Amino acid sequence: MSVTVRVPAKVNVQLAVGAARPDGFHELANVFLAVGLYDEVTATPSPDGPRITCEGPDAAQVPLDRTNLAARAALALAERYGRTPDVHLHIAKDIPVAGGMAGGSADGAGALLACDALWGTGASREELLDICAELGSDVPFSLVGGAALGTGRGERLTELETGGAFQWVFAMATRGLSTPAVFREFDRLAEAREIPEPVASQELLGALAKGDAEALAATVSNDLQPAALSLFPELADTLAAGRAAGALASLVSGSGPTTAFLARDAEAAEAVAAALRTSGTCRDVRTASGPVAGATVV
């Protein structure tokens, strides 16, 4: 018997970052949108688990030990239910690694749901979300999907209504960026100023609810973008290339280095993607729409 779970990537249409907390995390107002790029996690019984294998783009960069969020998810669920984590988790990756699209978090949520189904633990949604929050700030949203506002360090979710699908283009960078390094650079750049309390933009939430791409484009924002550009200045060329190709909005996705471009419709998205592919500013380009469902057994 095996169980396969499909989990989407995310883009942050707003990432408002507050000052560093005493625990080292930052208060966030994080508006997530799940988009149709997916990892699949397959759980199979194994006597020497948790064991991790991985295939797909950037698979060589994925840790195969117990630091992997998928392994940590299996261990956490097994501990909560008093059983041995006897599972082989195979990850078929399509979400960029270290790209600011929550690929690792997706794998954690996918492994948690797959192990719950494989072992028949019958965990409630609340229990699964509680474990997700222990694993990482973005993991709960990977389980929930759709659109949501994340507060606290991003783990406390309020699901949001959307009035339609939004068309996106994603440009993959030539190297990764460490999320902790980007937050450290954010702190360094903010040393001389007072950081306001992070709040969700009502205009942005209204644009999501209406499904209005142009209104959403006017309100997207990412407080981590200056820090990502400081560490990876070449991303500015990618952002400029997407805007020149007709994107309604361009921004760094999360902590980066993947860059995201909002398009008017699917045809416009293909035109932006074609221009980025020939721009010489990125290594790969993908199109996707969102919102889509969160972690789902397939």
Side-chain angles (χ1 to χ4, degrees), residues 76-83 116 119-124 127-128 131:
L77 186 67
E79 181 178 4
R80 183 168 294 213
Y81 281 88
R83 60 166 299 140
D116 176 61
W119 296 338
T121 51
S124 68
E127 286 177 296
L128 293 176
I131 296 172

Side-chain angles (χ1 to χ4, degrees), residues 13-213:
V13 292
Q14 182 187 4
L15 182 48
V17 183
R21 308 188 316 199
D23 63 3
F25 290 103
H26 295 68
E27 287 291 322
L28 304 176
N30 196 352
V31 182
F32 297 102
L33 191 70
V35 294
L37 298 177
Y38 299 94
D39 283 1
E40 289 191 348
V41 182
T42 300
T44 307
S46 172
D48 57 349
R51 185 166 69 90
I52 307 291
T53 55
C54 186
E55 65 174 325
D58 304 327
Q61 300 177 45
V62 176
L64 303 180
D65 57 16
R66 294 191 177 197
T67 64
N68 188 297
L69 276 173
R72 290 174 53 199
L75 289 164
L77 186 67
E79 181 178 4
R80 183 168 294 213
Y81 281 88
R83 60 166 299 140
T84 55
D86 47 357
V87 65
H88 168 209
L89 296 167
H90 181 72
I91 303 168
K93 281 214 73 69
D94 197 34
I95 302 172
V97 175
M101 299 187 74
S105 296
D107 297 341
L112 185 63
L113 189 59
C115 288
D116 176 61
L118 181 70
W119 296 338
T121 51
S124 68
R125 178 183 172 89
E126 290 70 26
E127 286 177 296
L128 293 176
L129 284 171
D130 185 52
I131 296 172
C132 285
E134 294 172 3
L135 294 171
S137 300
D138 288 346
V139 184
F141 179 71
S142 294
L143 187 72
V144 170
L149 168 63
T151 55
R153 55 183 170 84
E155 84 284 9
R156 297 199 302 266
L157 297 178
T158 301
E159 295 185 56
L160 300 172
E161 292 295 325
T162 55
F166 296 92
Q167 305 299 320
W168 293 89
V169 181
F170 298 99
M172 316 314 179
T174 54
R175 59 181 173 88
L177 268 179
S178 158
T179 296
V182 174
F183 272 98
R184 286 194 297 272
E185 183 68 0
F186 171 86
D187 291 336
R188 188 188 70 81
L189 294 174
E191 281 176 350
R193 62 182 176 87
E194 185 165 340
I195 302 173
E197 194 73 20
V199 293
S201 162
Q202 293 305 306
E203 292 81 5
L204 181 139
L205 299 183
L208 282 175
K210 293 176 183 176
D212 187 332

